[in-house]
Amino acid sequence: MKSVNRNGSRAPRRQEQGEGNMQVVQSLARRINTMALLLYEIKAGTPLGKTVELLLELFRREGTTTPNGALILTNLSRLDLAELAELSAAELQESLDRLARDSIIIYRISP
């Protein structure tokens, strides 16, 4: 006999739990792959790797953080960041855009 789910369907609960577990595993696998990629980029010294390394160092040492862990860098411009990372402004911007597109960082430029 099949159990009735909360929404009234007759699909077994185990199937729903299995699907939920699969989504968790897939999400973790994506995160691990992202971390592996970023570690490779850091090790290879690519512009993306240099940007990640700089942001991690700044997070560790400099800025003020909000309760949700956001790093606030009000005293550094993008040009300052590019110089610190030894990148061109375009390389830095491309790296920031990539990290934002991959939902690794969220950034906004203050007026």
Side-chain angles (χ1 to χ4, degrees), residues 3 16-17 22 26 29 34 38 44 53 60 63 76 79 83 90-91 95 103-108 111:
S3 62
E16 285 180 3
Q17 289 172 345
M22 183 59 75
Q26 289 171 342
T34 298
L38 292 176
E53 193 171 17
R60 189 177 75 77
L76 291 173
L79 290 176
E83 187 176 306
E91 289 173 320
S95 295
S103 300
I104 295 167
I105 65 168
I106 298 171
Y107 75 95
R108 66 183 164 99

Side-chain angles (χ1 to χ4, degrees), residues 1 4 13 16 20 37 41 88 92 102 110:
M1 182 171 176
V4 177
R13 273 190 193 206
E16 285 180 3
L37 169 70
E41 298 287 341
S88 70
L92 176 74
D102 292 345
S110 299

Side-chain angles (χ1 to χ4, degrees), residues 23-70:
Q23 290 174 348
V24 169
V25 169
Q26 289 171 342
S27 176
L28 289 172
R30 279 192 300 275
R31 289 179 185 183
I32 290 169
N33 286 337
T34 298
M35 294 304 295
L37 169 70
L38 292 176
L39 287 172
Y40 168 79
E41 298 287 341
I42 291 168
K43 198 80 161 148
T46 66
L48 179 59
K50 289 179 179 182
T51 302
V52 169
E53 193 171 17
L54 174 64
L55 291 175
L56 288 171
E57 184 64 21
L58 289 171
F59 186 79
R60 189 177 75 77
R61 304 174 113 214
E62 298 293 326
T64 305
T65 57
T66 64
N68 67 355

